[in-house]
Amino acid sequence: MHSQIEENYLKAIFNLSVEEEGKAVSTSALARELDVQAASVTDMIKKLAVKGLIEYEKYQGVMLTARGRTVAVDIVRKHRIWEVFLSEKLGFNWSEVHDIAEQLEHIQSEELISRLDDFLGNPAFDPHGGPIPDKKGRLPDRNIVLLSSLPEKSETVVAGVKDDAKELLQYLEQVGLLIGARIRILERMAFDDSMVLESPSGKISISSKVADNLMVRPPKAE
């Protein structure tokens, strides 16, 4: 058994390591992700290291051990399956499900999660486009890039969000940039990298911060 705080740390390390393509996660990035003080992070990672859940070297960052990854993937799997259930079966929108799933992810029953997964048809992605690990901890392939990496005139499809902060999701909902939306980059502003897009809701402008958090399908080669 692990405490909820320990599970939250392991999940955060896993999510950040995926973003960093398997590289060690810095303690400062972990503090930002969890919105806690650096001293609290240092104390907790020492405890997790003693339990054999992470490897940590000062100034080198944090990495999950095989045992730590197993725990983290289990939490991520439960969280994302609950998000699908809340969205598809209970009608919550994508800006509401994260906070509720944060509470439900700590339920220990593997049988419950397995049955819930089967009930939902074993979804591969959550409402934000996040990949859902299968029962063996394997992540589905996801061919995506950030919108900010694409040049003008690119045509693509929204596939998910990097940051599932409620304010960002509500904004994307308002401007119609939901998963599956087809968009075209009409213009990139050299001054601040903001973009003008052609979207299902018409022509819209988005900031570079939004473009840095919007995941899309790579444009098809001509």
Side-chain angles (χ1 to χ4, degrees), residues 6 11 24 27 45 77 82 88 91-92 104-105 126 143 148 150 160 169 175 177 193 199 207 221:
E6 289 173 340
K11 181 181 70 171
T27 54
I45 61 177
R77 171 174 159 78
W82 278 119
E88 291 188 1
F92 287 92
L104 294 169
E105 69 187 25
D126 71 16
N143 186 23
S148 57
L150 300 183
L169 297 175
V175 298
L177 293 179
D193 274 335
S199 74
S207 68

Side-chain angles (χ1 to χ4, degrees), residues 106 161 172:
H106 300 290
V161 289
L172 294 175

Side-chain angles (χ1 to χ4, degrees), residues 9 19 30 32 50 62 78 96 101 155 158 173 184 200:
Y9 268 80
E19 289 180 19
L30 197 51
R32 286 193 300 273
V50 168
V62 181
K78 287 189 287 187
E96 298 174 310
E155 296 185 12
V158 176
E173 210 166 37
R184 184 168 185 262

Side-chain angles (χ1 to χ4, degrees), residues 25-202:
V25 174
S26 71
T27 54
S28 58
L30 197 51
R32 286 193 300 273
E33 178 74 7
L34 294 166
D35 193 23
V36 297
Q37 297 296 318
S40 299
V41 171
T42 302
D43 289 343
M44 179 54 71
I45 61 177
K46 287 178 180 177
K47 293 177 183 177
L48 295 174
V50 168
K51 290 188 173 186
L53 298 169
I54 65 165
E55 294 176 352
Y56 170 65
E57 261 185 72
K58 199 170 184 181
Y59 308 121
Q60 299 299 314
V62 181
M63 295 190 75
L64 294 169
T65 61
R67 184 175 158 209
R69 186 183 187 281
T70 297
V71 176
V73 167
D74 182 56
I75 298 299
V76 169
R77 171 174 159 78
K78 287 189 287 187
H79 181 99
R80 292 177 178 173
I81 288 174
W82 278 119
E83 286 194 335
V84 175
F85 175 74
L86 292 165
S87 174
E88 291 188 1
K89 303 303 179 182
L90 298 186
F92 287 92
N93 65 41
W94 73 339
S95 63
E96 298 174 310
V97 296
H98 177 76
D99 289 346
I100 304 171
E102 285 275 297
Q103 302 169 56
L104 294 169
E105 69 187 25
H106 300 290
I107 293 174
Q108 295 299 315
S109 174
E110 292 183 12
E111 181 63 21
L112 171 62
I113 299 304
S114 180
R115 291 193 184 194
L116 188 61
D117 187 27
D118 291 340
F119 172 68
L120 294 169
N122 309 113
F125 300 96
D126 71 16
H128 311 119
I132 300 175
D134 65 15
K135 293 174 183 178
K136 294 184 178 180
R138 298 171 301 199
L139 290 167
D141 291 334
R142 186 172 62 154
N143 186 23
I144 55 167
V145 296
L146 291 176
L147 180 62
S148 57
S149 70
L150 300 183
E152 282 186 1
K153 311 307 178 187
S154 296
E155 296 185 12
T156 184
V157 176
V158 176
V161 289
K162 182 179 175 183
D163 182 354
D164 55 8
K166 182 180 290 188
E167 294 80 8
L168 172 64
L169 297 175
Q170 289 173 338
Y171 169 76
L172 294 175
E173 210 166 37
Q174 289 171 4
V175 298
L177 293 179
L178 302 173
I179 291 178
R182 295 186 175 277
I183 56 176
R184 184 168 185 262
I185 302 173
L186 298 177
E187 191 174 3
R188 282 187 80 132
M189 304 302 178
F191 172 68
D192 60 359
D193 274 335
S194 59
M195 292 182 174
V196 179
L197 306 178
E198 184 181 303
S199 74
S201 56

